[in-house]
Amino acid sequence: MTLPYRLVTAALLSLGMSLPAQALDLDNLSNADRALLRKEIRAYLLENPEVIMEAVAVLEERQATGQAEADVQLVRANAEALFDAPHDWVGGNPDGDITLVEFMDYKCGYCRRAFEDVKNLVKEDGNIRFILKEFPILGEESVAASRFAIATKQVAGDDAYKSVHDALMTYNGAMNEAGFTRLADALGLDANAIIAEMQSDAVTEVIAANHALGQRLRVSGTPSFVMDDRMLRGYLPQDAMQQVADEIRAQ
């Protein structure tokens, strides 16, 4: 990859490299001056290879900062759909000073890994409002499981939904009607009513709304989290999520 001379020169000068005076007139380089500049840059980088890693680190930091700032704007633009959608299950502390939203898929291994971390975080922190977003993206069984969970909420309410959600997060059977019937029966729920609701327009609309929201937020995998105005893309252990919460509160 060829970098613009002006960019390379400015970067090297900022890192303490001294260049010949004629090299500074970057708009009027002769062929000889251009060759000299190339020689000076190459020699400097060979003598100071750590400069390359420093430059990469600076670039990555700037990209991360830019991504975080863009994410804040995305969250603010979609705040109502994120934090106040009427179809979502809301738990934790309803009056918490921080809201945590999770986009999850029941077939996602990292979602299952995050399940206990998030549950413990919400319980031990005690001041987090927690919202679940059904976000099936891993195939037909993922969609079926989300349909079953959403249908449970619509037929039997929030407590039944949470029981089904927790059970599905540790369930290793087939995500099909027979499996859902056994699970509902074990939880004392009306399996027939829930399964009859699974293909309803109301259930379809919840999944479609969550997928549309995820697309606007550029959610490409699960689990993905929003904590207040921060996007947390991917699995984070409990202590890391607590650290983010502490940082938000300290602002």
Side-chain angles (χ1 to χ4, degrees), residues 160-173:
Y161 168 83
K162 188 57 166 60
S163 295
V164 164
H165 169 82
D166 291 356
L168 287 172
M169 274 299 181
T170 58
Y171 178 68
N172 293 317

Side-chain angles (χ1 to χ4, degrees), residues 200-219:
S200 70
D201 290 343
V203 171
T204 299
E205 288 169 5
V206 172
I207 294 175
N210 288 348
H211 280 167
L213 175 61
Q215 186 173 28
R216 294 196 300 273
L217 293 171
R218 299 170 190 165
V219 173

